[in-house]
């Protein structure tokens, strides 16, 4: 028996076997086999009905068509298996429908296509459609396919028409039994030729001008596809034509070109073609007017000589209309003889003319021009013939008879001679003798036979004769040479050495003719101006400059110039060198060097001297000469002009071994100078000095000062000022931090102020500059700008301002008191167990600052009671210039009041011990005496970065050398870390840098 099913469906078959008895121990096997392949060996047993069954579930595929399904059953008493078979008949659709063949054809031609399907069961049927019309297929075949199915193929041949263009040609495969349907299609393309071709061109017979640009456009309408347009000139295809342009009506192609003589009477045609292979054409003929296409001159004579006659013939090429010929030489017109015209190419006319010309030497090299000109076109064509006339040498009327020169120069006696042929030979004579290089090596003959004399002297003056000749003849002329003398000068001695205070004589000797009075002049060539140069005098050819009581400022270059009226004047520069003993830089910043003494850093002790001649340096430590062969000491000397700098590097500084006085001795032949430089531990800075006023305005004062020793740490400056009516001092942080010129703003006009300056670093602050002296300055009067009178506002009652001021003051005092008590409580806890050193401090009478024996400030006193009140008061707000201003009250401590944003005192490490309240305020947390020295730069100095050259208030750079880069905690700190102009003045960045620079045990925040 057979069983039919569709592909991709699940086939379920159940086998039932009956027996007696049916027992699980007796039943042995029940399996399902398909084409010899076992698909299932599972079964179920029903003992009550004595039945065993096996159910098969399988997914049917096309490959299962005509497969044999067999089920076998056997038990212990069966002699052979019992079986039953079924044949499967699978219905499946074709996997693919293919349409082959071209759907393109010319109108009236046939298209042939083939449509076929892969194997299916049952076979499918094929029918053809063109649009909505069914076509009858001529041939349709069904053949055997895979998996027991059938494959169907159908061929179609159809004659096309233009109305069918663009319709879909479809092949439909369908099976009613399986309800299968699939369609494949192609678009039918029917080719047919264009319907019309025409040109957009000038009307026939229109005269056109050569050189003009003409536009021919070819149009084609109809056709499928649209026509392909090709331009032809006289039957030859034209290259370089523009692209096709599509439009609704059809296609066009433009031919844009410049008219040439060859376009006269030329036929331009346009052909339209497409895949239909039929050509439509349109053409036009042009009428072009053009000047002569060429002009040439024909010469009969082979050699031209002066005095002979020249015959020339000018022939003009084809032109339309006829051209007229004219002759000229230079700007002079010549008259020729017209010849009869002739027909020429391109439908034009050719004309010619004859010229007869007597020749002279002046004609040589000139051009004879022949021009063919069209009056109708106002255009002509010309050519020329260059005359090559043979003649003997002739000297020009511009040949110089006199030549002047100066001694020791090279002079050229020119020859302005012409001849043809130009193979000229010339001979010079002087005093009746031939001039040649064998006679005097100073004689040189240049191109053109000009005579050049090198290093002319007075004996070369006189009359020179030159005679030139060529193959046509010879001729001579005379030239007079006049030699003059320009001055030369030299220094009698250079350089001139003199000691300070002596008299110096600078002498220059001239060689000149003539020697005139006052022909010597002297000039200072160094920097700056000197009002009285010295005493100038002259003795014949010697000039003298006398300098009395010479100072170091007179050393430098002096120029001696001699001018006797004959250019050019001569100059020479002589050097005056003033010898003087070395002088060392001895400012405060040169006398101290500070660094850590923990053996991990190096220190550079710098000594700079100015002196002439060369300065030598020697070093001593605690008055004992220093052995520079010791690897712990390295010395290098740098010379720049008269400035000599010696740098002594102490390697791995030890507080015990190297904190000492180093003596630098600079010496030369004039004397010596010494300087004691103390190498010590880092400390608070020295006070500034030389505070002065640079300028004052109505609301500002500009100050300048000299910085003191910075204590080995980064220092910044603070300006303190007040006026008579003020209740307290005002403090201004100088910005940029290391600037030494600063403008204090926000002042009152016509008011007297007192100013003082001090320095601060992370160790503490210095006293005020110049031993606490104050600088009295009065601001200028205010400049009133006239304005329109405004109505006065009614005065406010006194109570409007007094009551809020009193309430605000009370609140500020209570707030400051609370903060003060909180800080004291926290500080007491943080200092519990610290072992305090007893240091006696005293208060300076002139500035009120606390000074200890260790030159340090107590960390607990960095912020006084008045400072805490200031930090909370409105006076701490920054002014318009971005500088923080702080206020203190008279009679209280004048310690530095740090801005709140940068004040972060370190929480210093301390050993565990019972807190001693009695000695807490006598201890300096950062003082030491030859103990391990730490870099406390980060406590405050990192918030006040130095700069190499800080700008002052006027935008100018402040004086002073740029600070060298510092090596700190394993890295070099350069300008970008220290210069606010490059790093930016940002308090957050400073606090971050400060905390990272501190040792771990010294980091912390003030709460």
């Amino acid at each position: 028996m057979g069983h039919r099913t569709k592909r991709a469906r699940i086939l379920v078959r159940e086998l039932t076997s009956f027996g007696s008895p049916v027992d699980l121990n007796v039943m042995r096997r029940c399996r399902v086999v398909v084409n010899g392949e076992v698909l299932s060996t599972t079964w179920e047993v029903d003992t009550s009905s004595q039945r065993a069954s096996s159910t098969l579930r399988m997914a049917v595929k096309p490959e299962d068509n005509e497969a044999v399904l067999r089920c076998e059953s056997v038990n212990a008493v069966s002699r052979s298996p019992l079986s039953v078979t079924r044949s499967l008949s699978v219905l499946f659709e074709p996997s693919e429908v293919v349409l082959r063949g071209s759907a393109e054809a010319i109108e009236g031609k046939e298209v042939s296509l083939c449509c076929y399907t892969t194997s299916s069961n049952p076979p499918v049927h094929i029918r053809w459609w063109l649009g909505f019309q069914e076509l009858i297929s001529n041939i349709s075949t069904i053949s055997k396919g895979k998996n027991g199915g059938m494959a169907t193929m159908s061929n179609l041949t159809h004659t096309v028409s233009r109305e069918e263009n663009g319709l879909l040609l479809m092949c439909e495969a369908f099976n009613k039994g399986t309800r299968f349907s699939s369609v494949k299609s192609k678009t039918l393309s029917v080719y047919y030729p264009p319907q019309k071709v025409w040109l957009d061109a000038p009307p026939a017979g229109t005269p056109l001008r050569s050189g003009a640009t003409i536009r021919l456009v070819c149009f084609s309408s109809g056709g499928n596809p649209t026509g392909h347009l090709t331009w032809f000139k006289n039957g030859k295809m034209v290259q370089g034509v523009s692209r096709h342009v599509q439009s609704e009506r059809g296609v066009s192609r433009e031919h844009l070109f410049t008219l040439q003589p060859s376009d006269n009477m030329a036929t331009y045609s346009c052909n339209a073609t497409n895949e239909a292979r039929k050509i439509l054409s349109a053409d036009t003929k042009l009428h072009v007017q053009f000047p002569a296409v060429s002009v040439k001159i024909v010469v009969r004579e082979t050699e031209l000589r002066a005095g002979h006659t020249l015959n020339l013939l000018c022939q003009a090429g084809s032109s339309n209309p006829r051209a007229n010929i004219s002759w000229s030489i230079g700007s002079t017109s010549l008259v020729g003889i017209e010849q009869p015209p002739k027909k020429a190419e391109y439908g034009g006319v050719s004309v010619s003319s004859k010229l007869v010309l007597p020749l002279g030497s002046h004609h040589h090299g000139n051009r004879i021009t022949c021009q063919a000109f069209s009056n109708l076109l106002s255009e002509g064509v010309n050519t020329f013939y260059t005359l090559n006339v043979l003649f003997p040498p002739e000297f020009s009327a511009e040949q110089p008879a006199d030549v002047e020169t100066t001694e020791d120069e090279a002079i050229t006696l020119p020859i302005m001679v012409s001849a043809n042929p130009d193979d000229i030979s010339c001979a010079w004579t002087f005093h009746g003798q031939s001039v040649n290089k064998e006679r005097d090596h100073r004689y040189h003959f240049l191109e053109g036979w000009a005579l050049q004399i090198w290093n002319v002297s007075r004996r070369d003056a006189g009359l020179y004769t030159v005679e030139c000749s060529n193959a046509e003849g010879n001729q001579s002329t005379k030239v007079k040479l006049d030699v003059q003398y320009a001055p030369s000068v030299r220094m009698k001695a250079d350089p001139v050495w003199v000691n300070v205070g002596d008299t110096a004589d600078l002498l220059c000797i001239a060689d000149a003719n003539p020697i005139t009075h006052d022909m010597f002049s002297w000039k200072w060539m160094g920097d700056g101006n000197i009002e009285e140069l010295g005493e100038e005098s002259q003795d014949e050819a010697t000039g003298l400059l006398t300098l009395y009581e010479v100072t170091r400022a007179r050393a430098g270059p002096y120029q001696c110039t001699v001018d006797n009226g004959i250019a050019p004047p001569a100059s020479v520069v002589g050097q005056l060198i003033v010898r003087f003993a070395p002088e060392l830089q001895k400012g405060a910043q040169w006398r101290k060097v500070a660094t850590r003494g923990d053996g991990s850093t190096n220190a550079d002790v710098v000594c700079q001297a100015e002196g002439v001649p060369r300065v030598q340096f020697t070093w001593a430590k605690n008055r004992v000469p220093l052995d520079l062969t010791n690897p712990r000491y390295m010395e290098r000397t740098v010379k720049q002009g008269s400035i000599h700098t010696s740098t002594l590097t102490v390697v791995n500084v030890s507080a015990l071994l190297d904190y000492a006085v180093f003596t630098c001795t600079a010496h030369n032949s004039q004397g010596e100078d010494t300087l004691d430089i103390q190498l010590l531990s880092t400390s608070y800075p020295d006070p500034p000095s030389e505070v002065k006023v640079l300028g004052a305005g109505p609301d500002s004062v500009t100050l300048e000062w000299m910085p003191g020793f910075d204590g080995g740490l980064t220092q910044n400056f603070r300006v303190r000022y007040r006026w008579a009516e003020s209740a307290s001092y005002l403090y201004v942080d100088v910005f940029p931090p290391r600037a030494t010129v600063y403008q204090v703003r926000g002042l009152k006009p016509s008011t007297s102020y007192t100013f003082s300056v001090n320095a601060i670093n992370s160790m503490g602050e210095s006293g005020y500059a110049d031993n606490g002296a104050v600088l009295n300055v009065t601001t200028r009067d205010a400049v009133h700008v006239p304005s329109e009178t405004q109505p006065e506002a009614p005065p406010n009652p006194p109570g409007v301002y007094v009551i809020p001021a009193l309430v605000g003051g009370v609140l500020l005092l209570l707030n400051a008191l609370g903060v003060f008590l909180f800080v004291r409580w926290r500080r007491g806890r943080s200092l519990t167990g610290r072992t305090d050193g007893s240091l006696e401090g005293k208060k300076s009478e002139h500035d009120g600052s606390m000074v200890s024996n260790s030159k340090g400030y107590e960390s607990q006193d960095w912020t006084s009671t008045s400072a805490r009140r200031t930090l909370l008061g409105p006076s701490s707000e920054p002014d318009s210039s971005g500088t923080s201003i702080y206020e203190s009250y008279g009679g209280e401590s004048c310690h530095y009041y740090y801005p709140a944003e940068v004040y972060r005192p370190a929480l210093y490490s301390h050993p565990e011990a019972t807190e001693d309240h009695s000695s807490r305020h006598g201890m300096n947390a950062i003082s030491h005496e030859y103990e391990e020295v730490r870099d406390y730069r980060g406590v405050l100095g990192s918030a006040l970065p130095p700069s190499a050259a800080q700008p002052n208030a006027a935008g100018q750079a402040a004086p002073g050398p740029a600070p060298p880069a510092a090596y700190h905690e394993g890295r070099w700190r350069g300008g970008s870390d220290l210069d606010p102009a490059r790093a930016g003045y940002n308090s957050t960045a400073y606090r971050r840098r400060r905390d990272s620079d501190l040792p771990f045990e010294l980091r912390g925040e003030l709460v």
Side-chain angles (χ1 to χ4, degrees):
M1 293 180 64
H3 180 80
R4 303 186 65 179
T5 184
K6 290 187 177 181
R7 59 175 293 187
R9 292 191 176 183
I10 304 299
L11 177 64
V12 180
R13 301 296 293 169
E14 181 176 355
L15 168 67
T16 304
S17 176
F18 298 90
S20 179
V22 179
D23 186 76
L24 290 176
N25 297 324
V26 176
M27 193 68 180
R28 295 296 185 184
R29 184 179 64 185
C30 184
R31 66 178 184 176
V32 180
V33 180
V34 177
N35 290 338
E37 179 183 359
V38 178
L39 298 183
S40 175
T41 59
T42 61
W43 65 89
E44 296 178 354
V45 177
D46 187 353
T47 56
S48 61
S49 60
Q50 299 181 356
R51 184 177 65 177
S53 63
S54 176
T55 302
L56 172 65
R57 293 179 179 273
M58 59 178 292
V60 180
K61 302 186 293 296
E63 293 81 357
D64 296 328
N65 186 37
E66 298 181 352
V68 177
L69 179 65
R70 185 175 77 253
C71 180
E72 298 177 351
S73 176
V74 66
N75 61 9
V77 297
S78 299
R79 293 182 179 181
S80 61
L82 298 178
S83 65
V84 62
T85 61
R86 294 289 187 272
S87 295
L88 296 180
S89 177
V90 180
L91 303 181
F92 58 93
E93 301 166 352
S95 61
E96 186 179 10
V97 178
V98 181
L99 177 60
R100 295 186 181 276
S102 174
E104 299 177 354
I106 299 175
E107 181 183 18
K109 303 294 182 178
E110 293 181 344
V111 293
S112 296
L113 295 99
C114 176
C115 182
Y116 64 90
T117 67
T118 56
S119 179
S120 65
N121 184 28
V124 300
H125 300 280
I126 296 177
R127 58 185 175 184
W128 295 87
W129 297 86
L130 179 60
F132 297 100
Q133 178 184 1
E134 183 177 1
L135 302 178
I136 304 302
S137 172
N138 295 330
I139 303 174
S140 181
T141 59
I142 298 176
S143 58
K144 191 173 182 179
K146 294 182 179 181
N147 303 320
M150 304 297 289
T152 305
M153 181 174 67
S154 176
N155 294 320
L156 173 68
T157 301
H158 177 69
T159 302
V160 299
S161 63
R162 68 176 62 184
E163 292 79 9
E164 296 172 346
N165 180 54
L167 296 180
L168 285 178
L169 186 58
M170 296 176 289
C171 164
E172 180 185 9
F174 65 94
N175 189 319
K176 295 182 179 179
T178 61
R179 298 182 181 179
F180 167 77
S181 178
S182 177
V183 176
K184 295 294 182 180
S185 65
K186 289 188 176 183
T187 301
L188 183 62
S189 296
V190 181
Y191 301 138
Y192 50 91
Q195 293 179 344
K196 183 180 178 181
V197 177
W198 71 96
L199 298 180
D200 181 8
T206 301
L208 306 173
R209 185 166 179 175
S210 174
T213 299
I214 188 171
R215 177 174 173 267
L216 302 179
V217 183
C218 178
F219 295 93
S220 172
S221 63
N224 181 41
T226 55
H228 178 78
L229 305 179
T230 306
W231 280 99
F232 293 88
K233 177 183 177 182
N234 293 332
K236 295 183 179 181
M237 188 170 61
V238 178
Q239 303 293 334
V241 183
S242 62
R243 298 179 179 179
H244 289 76
V245 178
Q246 300 288 341
S247 64
E248 295 181 357
R249 297 180 57 188
V251 65
S252 65
R253 194 174 191 186
E254 179 184 274
H255 180 27
L256 186 67
F257 62 99
T258 301
L259 290 173
Q260 303 294 333
S262 62
D263 294 321
N264 185 39
M265 306 306 295
T267 299
Y268 280 86
S269 60
C270 175
N271 292 352
T273 61
N274 63 1
E275 282 77 355
R277 300 176 184 176
K278 184 177 180 180
I279 300 176
L280 296 181
S281 180
D283 57 51
T284 184
K285 182 176 287 188
L286 304 179
H287 295 268
V288 180
Q289 296 176 341
F290 56 93
V293 295
S294 64
V295 177
K296 68 177 179 178
I297 297 176
V298 179
V299 183
R300 296 180 181 178
E301 289 79 4
T302 57
E303 288 187 352
L304 308 180
R305 282 186 170 84
H308 291 187
T309 300
L310 175 63
N311 294 294
L312 302 174
L313 179 64
C314 179
Q315 296 177 342
S318 178
S319 64
N320 181 31
R322 174 182 171 179
N324 299 318
I325 294 180
S326 61
W327 293 88
S328 64
I329 179 170
S331 59
T332 304
S333 298
L334 303 176
V335 179
I337 302 173
E338 296 260 348
Q339 304 298 313
K342 299 178 182 180
K343 289 186 178 181
E345 58 184 350
Y346 311 135
V349 179
S350 175
V351 295
S352 61
S353 176
K354 184 178 180 181
L355 177 66
V356 179
L357 178 66
L359 296 175
S361 61
H362 61 282
H363 288 138
H364 176 66
N366 288 336
R367 293 179 175 180
I368 294 182
T369 302
C370 172
Q371 182 181 34
F373 187 79
S374 173
N375 294 327
L376 179 63
L377 301 178
S378 299
E379 186 177 354
V381 181
N382 61 66
T383 187
F384 63 88
Y385 175 74
T386 303
L387 298 176
N388 183 23
V389 181
L390 302 177
F391 62 94
E394 294 180 0
F395 290 96
S396 171
E398 299 178 358
Q399 169 69 34
D402 297 295
V403 177
E404 292 183 356
T405 186
T406 57
E407 193 172 20
D408 297 328
E409 297 290 338
I411 184 62
T412 299
L413 304 182
I415 295 180
M416 303 180 68
V417 64
S418 59
N420 190 30
D422 57 2
D423 185 11
I424 304 174
S425 62
C426 298
W428 288 86
T429 57
F430 179 58
H431 293 167
Q433 296 182 356
S434 175
V435 174
N436 52 57
K437 203 165 186 178
E438 288 75 14
R439 176 183 173 185
D440 194 331
H441 68 278
R442 297 181 299 115
Y443 294 147
H444 297 271
F445 294 97
L446 305 180
E447 184 178 359
W449 292 98
L451 174 62
Q452 186 178 65
I453 307 176
W454 292 0
N455 299 327
V456 176
S457 63
R458 285 168 288 179
R459 61 185 177 86
D460 295 320
L463 197 63
Y464 290 79
T465 302
V466 58
E467 182 178 0
C468 298
S469 62
N470 69 351
E472 301 295 320
N474 57 33
Q475 194 172 357
S476 64
T477 188
K478 297 182 182 296
V479 180
K480 182 179 180 180
L481 177 62
D482 183 16
V483 179
Q484 296 179 346
Y485 302 90
S488 61
V489 64
R490 63 181 178 85
M491 296 297 297
K492 184 175 182 179
D494 187 30
V496 177
W497 294 81
V498 65
N499 296 334
V500 174
D502 292 348
T503 299
D505 291 327
L506 300 177
L507 293 93
C508 65
I509 301 175
D511 183 9
N513 184 26
I515 296 176
T516 61
H517 181 65
D518 293 334
M519 70 177 182
F520 290 94
S521 61
W522 293 85
K523 182 180 179 181
W524 164 250
M525 302 297 292
D527 298 333
N529 296 321
I530 298 179
E531 296 181 359
E532 295 183 3
L533 190 62
E535 181 181 321
E536 300 182 19
S537 59
Q538 178 180 343
D539 181 11
E540 293 297 333
T542 302
L544 174 64
L545 175 64
T546 303
L547 307 177
Y548 299 100
E549 297 180 359
V550 176
T551 62
R552 287 166 49 183
R554 303 304 298 273
Y558 292 82
Q559 177 178 279
C560 172
T561 303
V562 181
D563 185 2
N564 66 346
I566 300 176
S571 299
V572 65
V573 176
Q575 291 285 339
L576 176 64
I577 300 178
V578 180
R579 291 185 288 254
F580 60 94
E583 294 183 1
L584 288 168
Q585 294 283 353
K586 296 184 179 181
Q589 63 272 26
W590 296 91
R591 294 181 178 272
K592 295 179 182 180
V593 176
T595 187
R596 296 185 299 182
D598 55 1
S600 63
T601 59
N602 298 342
D604 287 336
V605 184
V606 181
C607 179
Q608 189 176 92
E610 182 178 6
V612 176
R614 189 178 185 90
V615 176
Q616 304 293 333
F617 293 91
T618 59
W619 288 86
K621 177 180 177 182
N622 292 334
R623 307 301 177 184
V624 177
L626 202 61
D627 181 12
L628 296 180
T629 61
N630 190 329
R632 294 192 66 250
Y633 303 103
M634 295 182 294
E635 191 270 344
R636 62 183 183 277
T637 301
V638 178
K639 178 180 180 296
Q640 294 181 347
S642 62
I643 305 298
H644 303 71
T645 304
S646 175
T647 302
L648 176 66
T649 301
V650 182
V651 179
N652 297 333
V653 175
S654 169
L656 182 61
L657 300 177
D658 298 316
Y659 282 176
V661 176
F662 290 84
T663 302
C664 172
T665 302
H667 59 87
N668 63 7
S669 60
Q670 300 298 305
E672 67 178 29
D673 195 7
T674 61
L675 174 66
D676 290 338
I677 305 173
Q678 185 178 5
L679 178 59
L680 41 74
S681 175
T682 53
S683 64
Y684 59 86
D686 291 345
S689 60
E690 302 180 19
V691 181
K692 59 184 178 181
V693 178
L694 294 182
D699 60 349
S700 64
V701 171
T702 303
L703 304 176
E704 183 184 24
W705 58 88
M706 290 293 294
F709 177 59
D710 59 7
L713 301 172
T714 303
Q715 69 174 346
N716 66 308
F717 301 96
R718 181 194 61 191
V719 177
R720 182 184 70 175
Y721 67 96
R722 68 180 301 174
W723 64 99
E725 295 80 7
S726 62
S728 63
Y729 283 104
L730 291 180
Y731 296 83
V732 182
D733 294 321
V734 173
F735 183 83
R738 296 188 64 187
T740 58
V741 175
Y742 185 73
Q743 186 180 52
V744 182
R745 298 177 180 271
L747 305 180
K748 300 178 180 179
S750 305
T751 304
S752 295
Y753 289 87
T754 60
F755 293 92
S756 52
V757 181
N758 73 338
I760 310 101
N761 65 10
S762 59
M763 301 289 288
E765 62 178 317
S766 71
Y768 283 92
D770 303 325
N771 296 324
V774 296
L775 192 64
N776 295 312
V777 183
T778 301
T779 56
R780 295 181 180 179
D781 297 336
V783 178
H784 296 284
V785 178
S787 60
E788 298 181 1
T789 304
Q790 299 293 337
E792 295 183 358
N796 293 324
V800 174
Y801 301 103
V802 174
I803 296 176
L806 292 177
V807 173
V810 172
L811 292 176
L812 287 176
L813 291 176
L814 293 177
N815 194 6
L817 180 61
V819 171
F820 172 76
L821 295 177
F822 178 77
V823 171
R824 296 285 292 183
W825 174 75
R826 289 295 301 268
R827 184 173 298 165
R829 294 187 59 187
S830 65
L831 296 177
T832 302
R834 175 180 300 180
T835 303
D836 298 273
S838 178
L839 298 173
E840 295 181 359
K842 60 181 180 179
K843 188 172 184 180
S844 175
E845 295 178 358
H846 61 274
D847 60 9
S849 60
M850 295 299 296
V851 181
S852 66
N853 294 337
S854 61
K855 298 183 179 181
Y857 285 84
E858 296 177 347
S859 60
Q860 294 83 357
D861 291 337
W862 279 10
T863 307
S864 63
T865 305
S866 58
R868 298 187 187 95
R869 181 168 60 250
T870 301
L871 292 174
L872 298 174
S875 61
S876 62
E877 294 294 331
D879 64 1
S880 60
S881 63
T883 304
S884 299
I885 302 178
Y886 311 96
E887 181 180 4
S888 68
Y889 296 87
E892 296 185 1
S893 173
C894 59
H895 287 297
Y896 177 58
Y897 305 136
Y898 299 98
E901 65 172 359
V902 301
Y903 180 50
R904 294 291 187 274
L907 304 179
Y908 298 99
S909 58
H910 55 275
E912 295 185 359
T914 305
E915 181 179 5
D916 186 1
H917 295 279
S918 62
S919 60
R920 178 182 302 167
H921 299 287
M923 176 182 178
N924 189 337
I926 57 177
S927 64
H928 56 80
E929 183 172 329
Y930 299 110
E931 76 278 20
E932 179 180 357
V933 181
R934 302 185 182 276
D935 187 355
Y936 293 98
R937 185 175 309 171
V939 175
L940 179 62
S942 62
L944 303 170
S947 63
Q950 303 293 350
N952 55 26
Q956 301 175 348
Y967 184 82
H968 182 65
E969 291 191 5
R971 68 182 184 95
W972 284 98
R973 176 177 298 170
S976 62
D977 293 320
L978 304 177
D979 190 354
R982 290 175 288 176
Y985 186 69
N986 186 291
S987 60
T988 304
Y990 292 157
R991 285 196 295 271
R992 187 183 301 115
R993 186 182 306 168
R994 177 197 59 222
D995 293 341
S996 62
D997 289 347
L998 279 174
F1000 177 81
E1001 65 272 11
L1002 297 185
R1003 301 177 187 173
E1005 298 291 334
L1006 177 62
V1007 180

